[in-house]
Amino acid sequence: MILIYSSDEDICTHIVIAVVVGVLLIMVVPTVLSKRTDSTAKTPASVSADRNYGITFNGDLTGVPVIDVYEDFQCPVCAGFEKLNGDYLESLIADKKATVVYHTLSFLGPESVNAANAAACSADEGKFLQVHEALYANQASSENSGKWSPQTLIGLGVELKINSKKWAECVTSGKYKDWVNNVAADGAKKNVNSTPTVFINGKEMERTSANY
């Protein structure tokens, strides 16, 4: 259990970073990533360099915990984290009890980039949390299997009632791929070398063993 306190009120949360017992400890980053960011990269809604290029909810709040989640949409352990904690994090957002920042990484290959770009496109549509949840709920059993092509990602959005031409063009063109690279570069600067990695008020959470 992680206890988080703010200056206004005591907030107790129970966020678990669990691992599959006996199978997988963490999803380790397979390559060394560049730490160079591109200041000219296009950025989606709710993003600023001040928040380490993460998609931010409740960024205007003060005196509340700040939760940074580093994740990869192809990472099975991240899918487990979402299953355990997704609803709770969304409740903190809805109730304005925390600032929550999602850092969508791309450690696991081109389809991680595609999915992170699509998530960024969905932020422009005000649908990031819905797409975030759907990407994990529909995660492929193996990485880079063709599951997250631009076409299937557009279809996923349509299922969530994202039907705009702007959305489809954003996904197809990879509009935010340079931003995805910035997220990865910023994570590398912070020595984030596994997913999921979660910081609360700048302090990295420890992992615990559990069955999903």
Side-chain angles (χ1 to χ4, degrees):
M1 177 176 290
I2 303 296
L3 299 180
I4 309 174
Y5 297 95
S6 76
S7 58
D8 296 325
E9 62 178 332
D10 290 349
I11 304 174
C12 178
T13 71
H14 188 183
I15 299 177
V16 178
I17 305 181
V19 300
V20 180
V21 175
V23 178
L24 187 65
L25 177 60
I26 52 177
M27 184 62 70
V28 178
V29 179
T31 58
V32 177
L33 298 173
S34 170
K35 296 182 180 180
R36 183 175 298 175
T37 56
D38 179 1
S39 61
T40 67
K42 296 177 181 178
T43 56
S46 304
V47 168
S48 73
D50 292 341
R51 292 288 182 182
N52 308 118
Y53 298 98
I55 293 176
T56 304
F57 292 87
N58 296 338
D60 58 333
L61 297 182
T62 59
V64 298
V66 178
I67 304 171
D68 289 276
V69 180
Y70 289 81
E71 57 188 343
D72 187 311
F73 286 117
Q74 289 197 100
C75 162
V77 186
C78 297
F81 177 85
E82 170 68 13
K83 182 178 179 180
L84 288 169
N85 303 291
D87 288 346
Y88 184 71
L89 287 174
E90 289 189 30
S91 74
L92 290 178
I93 292 169
D95 296 339
K96 297 189 179 300
K97 290 185 176 180
T99 296
V100 181
V101 188
Y102 294 94
H103 306 265
T104 55
L105 299 176
S106 50
F107 293 151
L108 300 178
E111 291 191 39
S112 293
V113 177
N114 290 347
N117 175 72
C121 296
S122 73
D124 290 347
E125 303 284 334
K127 294 276 191 176
F128 175 82
L129 291 175
Q130 293 90 325
V131 169
H132 182 276
E133 180 179 354
L135 284 167
Y136 284 123
N138 294 280
Q139 190 180 75
S141 58
S142 59
E143 301 160 17
N144 301 306
S145 62
K147 176 78 172 185
W148 295 137
S149 68
Q151 292 71 31
T152 56
L153 288 163
I154 290 170
L156 182 72
V158 170
E159 291 179 12
L160 297 171
K161 302 188 185 306
I162 308 176
N163 300 302
S164 71
K165 181 179 179 181
K166 179 183 174 183
W167 151 259
E169 290 177 347
C170 183
V171 174
T172 302
S173 68
K175 179 178 180 179
Y176 293 123
K177 285 187 176 181
D178 289 340
W179 166 80
V180 173
N181 291 335
N182 280 353
V183 176
D186 185 80
K189 290 177 184 177
K190 292 173 175 55
N191 296 317
V192 174
N193 60 5
S194 61
T195 53
T197 294
V198 179
F199 293 88
I200 298 179
N201 293 334
K203 182 177 180 181
E204 185 175 352
M205 284 184 61
E206 297 181 358
R207 294 171 172 83
T208 186
S209 296
N211 286 300
Y212 293 142

